[in-house]
Amino acid sequence: MPDLSIIIPSYRRVDLLAACLRSIIDHAERANLQIIVVDDASPGHVVFNTARSFPGVEVIRLTERAGFCAAINVGLSYAEASIVQVLNDDAEVTAGWFQAPLQRFRDNPQ
């Protein structure tokens, strides 16, 4: 069971998605993370192919464009952790980005 599931909806912005995924992997610090990219029916499977090039990243491809909220909801149905973080595909994380929030949830699960 992962400690944190990360859902990243994406449509066509593979350069930004690649930088986002690289930053997560670079700063994962041996964390038990589930990374889910939801390809919102990007033309030519560009998001699907880019996300699959990163080891351990799960990719869900929608067959029809559904929009940001629907893509998140699909990602939620695949999330295994009890704590879920949604990231935009243009976000880049830094060292220590998830430890404090996870600790807060562990200290006060209500």
Side-chain angles (χ1 to χ4, degrees), residues 32-109:
N32 186 13
L33 304 176
Q34 177 189 28
I35 304 169
I36 303 167
V37 172
V38 181
D39 178 355
D40 195 9
S42 295
H45 294 76
V46 292
V47 166
F48 182 84
N49 293 332
T50 298
R52 287 201 52 180
S53 70
F54 288 84
V57 173
E58 299 174 39
V59 189
I60 301 151
R61 177 165 164 74
L62 304 182
T63 57
E64 292 184 19
R65 184 111 197 263
F68 182 81
C69 293
I72 291 169
N73 285 335
V74 169
L76 285 170
S77 70
Y78 286 86
E80 296 174 5
S82 59
I83 301 171
V84 176
Q85 180 177 30
V86 175
L87 286 178
N88 289 339
D89 58 4
D90 62 352
E92 291 184 45
V93 302
T94 58
W97 62 279
F98 66 89
Q99 286 89 347
L102 279 183
Q103 191 59 50
R104 176 76 171 131
F105 280 112
R106 288 179 182 137
D107 290 347
N108 187 359

